[in-house]
Amino acid sequence: MNYLPINIRVADRNDLEIILDFILVKAQFDREDYAVQTNLNKLDKTLFGDRPLAHVLLAELDNHPVGFALFFYTYSSFLAQPGIWLDDLFVQPQMRHQGIGTALIKHLISRAKTEECGRIEWTVAVDNHPAIDFYQQQGAEILQQVRVCRLKER
């Protein structure tokens, strides 16, 4: 299979609308659009403010954004090392199977190695079989013995 030349770059403040659009499309794809409470101002503050809390990679074909990865750093006491938590990975449905997701994952792996991170972790919906297959093809182990726990603001 011949893949198109994919450019992966770190997003900046000029990409806020693109980032928000990707988040909204991903939420709709995940059937969780009801849960989205973000907006441009919140994203600007949390991604590009004085203390950025997360980072965004954009995947581009011909200077056109076709996918993104949003991640932040974690810490593992078991490893005594930082890690990367991949919060969002999304490629436009019509652009899938062209190596874009793989390029985003490889970029994160390279970053994790450079920054001496012990691992990259994320969640995947149990019924998202195409994503599970994709992640396993990337070498990911799908853990069965843990569950996501969440406390919401009261």
Side-chain angles (χ1 to χ4, degrees):
M1 179 179 287
N2 291 331
Y3 293 135
L4 298 170
I6 301 161
N7 180 48
I8 306 294
R9 68 174 178 85
V10 175
D12 61 33
R13 204 172 235 129
N14 295 322
D15 299 309
L16 279 167
E17 288 186 16
I18 294 165
I19 295 166
L20 180 58
D21 287 345
F22 273 128
I23 291 169
L24 295 172
V25 171
K26 182 182 184 301
Q28 188 175 35
F29 177 83
D30 290 343
R31 297 179 301 279
E32 291 193 39
D33 42 334
Y34 63 88
V36 176
Q37 297 180 21
T38 191
N39 59 48
L40 291 173
N41 289 334
K42 283 182 174 180
L43 288 173
D44 185 41
K45 181 180 178 182
T46 57
L47 296 177
F48 304 109
D50 293 337
R51 251 187 28 174
L53 300 174
H55 310 276
V56 177
L57 299 174
L58 291 175
E60 298 176 323
L61 291 176
D62 295 326
N63 295 320
H64 181 72
V66 294
F68 86 121
L70 188 147
F71 67 97
F72 55 90
Y73 293 93
T74 61
Y75 183 80
S76 168
S77 61
F78 288 8
L79 301 176
Q81 285 181 274
I84 290 177
W85 182 268
L86 176 57
D87 201 54
D88 292 320
L89 177 71
F90 185 77
V91 174
Q92 294 172 334
Q94 70 274 19
M95 301 307 295
R96 292 184 183 159
H97 308 289
Q98 298 186 51
I100 298 162
T102 299
L104 284 164
I105 293 283
K106 285 183 177 179
H107 189 94
L108 277 176
I109 291 168
S110 175
R111 189 175 190 132
K113 285 179 182 176
T114 299
E115 298 182 19
E116 298 182 15
C117 294
R119 57 185 168 212
I120 302 171
E121 296 180 301
W122 62 94
T123 61
V124 61
V126 296
D127 63 346
N128 191 345
H129 301 289
I132 291 169
D133 291 343
F134 168 74
Y135 294 140
Q136 288 176 322
Q137 290 169 9
Q138 304 307 308
E141 175 187 2
I142 309 298
L143 303 177
Q144 302 297 320
Q145 69 275 22
V146 295
R147 298 285 187 258
V148 174
C149 300
R150 180 179 291 163
L151 289 172
K152 291 187 176 184
E153 189 177 340
R154 299 174 194 210

